[in-house]
């Protein structure tokens, strides 16, 4: 397929929060598209979406949708990927899957191009896009790992509701209005649509993202732990995560404690490797109150790092504050960047 | 003064967020009050406040306000405490100061009664109430420290705007309305009233509470670090903190990583010492999605702990989620409990 100038592209989940972002990003980055197929559930089929000023009608995604498709972006939830991603591969498409369905499968590359682009080389048609909270963390940690080694990661997250989709954004908006009007807040979705109980997110914090596993960690926490090791090629790296949903719409923030593998490093040494690192922007100056926030990072492509501090007790310890738009670099942009990398390297 | 049945009480900062809570708590707990003096800035003097169904007129706080006062609660900011607290002590009052003015001074007890009540015994008239984010953390850590020892603490906070006073609550409310109405948000106060720049808090997160010190940590972070060591009598305990302001009105939450001083402990061992600990309520059951949140802890007296997990790599490591009302146990209640302890132990 190499040498081809433009590609037949399909998007599964085109009407969702991430699908919409993928469309915008394909358009903004002038991705070389020969034809575009927008796929969704039966419910959303028939909708019309503008792409490059042309109306595209959304079709229902079926096992037969992928004939002639070169690249299929999947972001319609894990169960849809389980049902259709391998059909798409069988039909000859390369799938970039934005769900957790195949991320930890051996033989499925899990890729953040700035971190482990080389893992794409030997793909077998199916490539996974990592979890949003993982992507931004490994993008920030990679330059540090490369320069100084990494012995330990402990992260506490501050995650936006858009990670749970458009309906969660609506829920935050509605509950916020209810609260400000002294009305009772209606909680029907968060923390997890499919779980038993729902709690208000407006003016609150929910220490649960995705369902709980047997070990007391949530699936979101285990994703951060396991995906980080896979992407960074560091199975022995101790990673711990606590994931918390918060009442803002866009961008995840992360308070990250790391231990590097060298004594005597300074904040300057960390700044030096982050400043100018691919996809990373250093925003860190206490004297001017410069640090990234969810609002300042919204709709931007990069991963922003600030509040770099040396631990006061552990000579190898540092603290970072990492913020990125969870729908852009955390999802849609990274997905598109994977496809761009495949094309650039003739790995499609 | 021991043996006295009721006390002449003064509240400095009676019209503020914490002062108002102190009044409510004194009333609810039927604190033995002989006379009540409500003090404030000149600006608020003359206001009338109901206490036990009687109107009390707020007076301007001056160096001469404390004649005949037995117990003076200060919560009008550090500069007022610096100006007036020692005058009150000279006039014969015992001062419980809710500001950071004297907390780290040698000879000034810094007390959470459940943790280090004995430190009150040799007070010299001036007692400090710790920082809100510190109080709830040490209340949760003390039973663990006592049972198993404590080698390390790393905390990331999720703090309510009410910690910055009533004006900050108004700012969150106004900005939320502006955002929901598609108007520009006006930021005039947070993250820190006296600092140069102001950023919106509504639908955002600000990784700055209080001003920055030379070492890149904020004063809030250094308060958590230094106060924890003083209260827990653990000068050698490595404590690290990252403090973040979030868009909710009430309760601070904390993601706390600890290393205990014993191998082989289980989550059950941690649950055992937290369950029934004084002032602590364990709310931790993943199978029923039971965990504390800022909204669930609001207006309650206790410190709530959930999400207890064993670290997956460090045999001595555990993760906790600690939530408490920052104006109640984090400020007003602890202040009143200090006074109650002085009375109970004849240490006034």
């Amino acid at each position: 397929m190499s040498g081809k100038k433009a590609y037949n592209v399909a998007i599964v989940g085109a009407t969702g929060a991430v699908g919409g972002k993928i469309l915008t990003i394909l358009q903004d980055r002038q991705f070389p598209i020969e034809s575009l197929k927008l796929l969704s559930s039966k419910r959303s089929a028939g909708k019309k979406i503008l792409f490059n000023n042309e109306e595209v009608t959304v079709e229902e995604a079926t096992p037969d949708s992928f004939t002639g498709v070169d690249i299929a972006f999947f972001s319609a939830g894990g169960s849809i990927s389980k049902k259709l991603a391998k059909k798409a591969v069988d039909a000859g498409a390369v799938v970039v899957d934005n769900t957790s369905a195949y991320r930890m499968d051996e033989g499925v590359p899990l890729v953040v191009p700035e971190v482990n682009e080389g893992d794409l080389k030997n793909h077998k048609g199916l490539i996974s896009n990592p979890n949003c909270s993982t992507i931004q963390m490994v993008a920030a940690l990679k330059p540090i790992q490369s320069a100084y080694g990494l012995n330990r990661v402990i992260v506490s997250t501050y995650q936006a509701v858009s990670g749970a989709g458009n309906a969660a954004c609506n829920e935050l908006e509605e509950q916020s209005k209810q609260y400000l009007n002294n009305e009772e807040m209606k909680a029907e979705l968060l923390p997890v649509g499919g779980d038993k109980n729902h709690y208000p997110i407006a003016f609150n914090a929910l220490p649960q993202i995705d369902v709980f596993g047997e070990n007391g960690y949530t699936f979101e926490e285990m994703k951060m732990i396991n995906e980080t090791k896979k992407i960074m090629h560091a199975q022995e790296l101790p990673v711990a995560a606590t994931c918390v949903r918060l009442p803002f719409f866009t961008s995840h923030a992360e308070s990250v404690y790391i231990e590097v593998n060298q004594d005597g490093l300074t904040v300057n040494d960390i700044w030096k490797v982050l400043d100018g690192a691919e996809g990373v922007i250093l925003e860190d100056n206490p004297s001017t109150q410069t640090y990234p926030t969810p609002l300042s990072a919204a709709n931007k492509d990069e991963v922003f790092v600030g509040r770099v501090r040396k631990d006061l007790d552990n000579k190898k310890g540092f603290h970072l504050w990492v913020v990125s738009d969870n729908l852009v670099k955390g999802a849609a942009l990274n997905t598109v960047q994977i496809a761009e990398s495949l094309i650039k390297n003739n790995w499609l």
Side-chain angles (χ1 to χ4, degrees), chain A:
Chain A
M1 208 176 287
S2 77
K4 199 169 170 180
K5 288 281 173 18
Y7 303 88
N8 298 318
V9 171
I11 300 177
V12 182
T15 59
V18 174
K21 278 280 179 193
I22 289 176
L23 275 168
T24 309
I25 288 167
L26 289 173
Q27 191 169 302
D28 291 351
R29 294 169 77 95
Q30 302 185 295
F31 193 89
I33 293 178
E34 175 72 36
S35 74
L36 180 65
K37 203 172 230 185
L38 301 185
L39 301 167
S40 74
S41 64
K42 199 171 186 172
R43 194 168 45 82
S44 295
K47 279 191 184 174
K48 291 176 195 307
I49 292 180
L50 269 186
F51 184 79
N52 280 340
N53 296 318
E54 280 182 41
E55 253 186 12
V56 184
T57 303
V58 178
E59 303 167 45
E60 184 187 354
T62 72
D64 304 322
S65 299
F66 303 95
T67 312
V69 168
D70 300 315
I71 304 168
F73 299 109
F74 273 70
S75 66
S79 60
I80 302 296
S81 291
K82 291 253 186 212
K83 216 170 90 180
L84 296 178
K86 288 190 174 166
K87 304 278 182 197
V89 173
D90 290 345
V94 171
V95 169
V96 187
D97 181 23
N98 197 42
T99 78
S100 63
Y102 299 103
R103 283 181 193 147
M104 297 312 298
D105 285 14
E106 226 174 302
V108 174
L110 182 68
V111 175
V112 179
E114 298 92 323
V115 179
N116 63 332
E117 185 178 32
D119 290 357
L120 288 174
K121 190 170 181 180
N122 299 312
H123 75 83
K124 301 182 180 72
L126 182 55
I127 296 149
S128 280
N129 193 57
N131 192 47
C132 44
S133 51
T134 310
I135 291 176
Q136 66 183 70
M137 185 168 78
V138 297
L141 293 186
K142 176 64 180 177
I144 300 170
Q145 183 201 34
S146 298
Y148 309 122
L150 210 49
N151 292 345
R152 173 88 231 206
V153 178
I154 299 173
V155 56
S156 297
T157 71
Y158 302 70
Q159 294 185 232
V161 294
S162 56
N166 285 332
C169 294
N170 293 339
E171 183 163 272
L172 171 58
E173 187 173 338
E174 287 309 310
Q175 286 177 355
S176 299
K177 289 175 181 168
Q178 288 157 358
Y179 188 97
L180 294 169
N181 289 330
N182 288 313
E183 294 164 15
E184 203 188 335
M185 289 191 278
K186 280 184 200 139
E188 292 169 345
L189 180 65
L190 291 170
V192 183
D195 214 338
K196 292 182 290 287
N197 299 303
H198 304 292
Y199 309 117
I201 183 64
F203 306 107
N204 202 13
L206 299 178
Q208 183 193 354
I209 300 184
D210 213 332
V211 295
F212 284 98
E214 286 291 320
N215 63 357
Y217 286 78
T218 60
F219 279 27
E220 181 83 357
E221 288 157 356
M222 293 311 301
K223 284 177 212 163
M224 286 197 80
I225 292 168
N226 294 327
E227 293 179 17
T228 297
K229 295 178 192 210
K230 179 169 178 176
I231 298 165
M232 300 189 84
H233 300 172
Q235 284 305 321
E236 303 303 313
L237 177 66
V239 181
T242 299
C243 292
V244 183
R245 187 76 74 192
L246 288 161
F248 39 84
F249 294 97
T250 310
S251 306
H252 295 339
E254 299 175 342
S255 169
V256 189
Y257 169 74
I258 57 168
E259 277 176 35
V260 294
N261 195 23
Q262 283 185 34
D263 276 340
L265 294 179
T266 64
V267 167
N268 253 311
D269 294 316
I270 303 295
W271 277 346
K272 205 168 57 188
V273 298
L274 288 173
D275 199 11
E278 198 186 339
V280 173
I281 292 185
L282 186 64
E283 288 190 341
D284 193 4
N285 188 345
S287 72
T288 55
Q289 296 171 267
T290 300
Y291 39 71
T293 69
L295 282 180
S296 75
N299 299 312
K300 297 198 178 135
D301 285 354
E302 295 84 0
V303 173
F304 299 86
V305 185
R307 304 281 347 261
V308 180
R309 285 155 293 150
K310 182 148 188 170
D311 191 75
L312 300 175
D313 298 288
N314 184 332
K315 284 177 184 164
K316 296 176 175 169
F318 286 90
H319 303 269
L320 317 170
W321 173 251
V322 180
V323 188
S324 191
D325 188 317
N326 55 307
L327 297 184
V328 180
K329 182 60 184 172
L333 175 61
N334 198 69
T335 303
V336 173
Q337 285 172 324
I338 286 172
E340 291 175 341
S341 170
L342 292 171
I343 293 171
K344 180 189 74 186
N345 291 293
N346 289 321
W347 291 339
L348 199 61

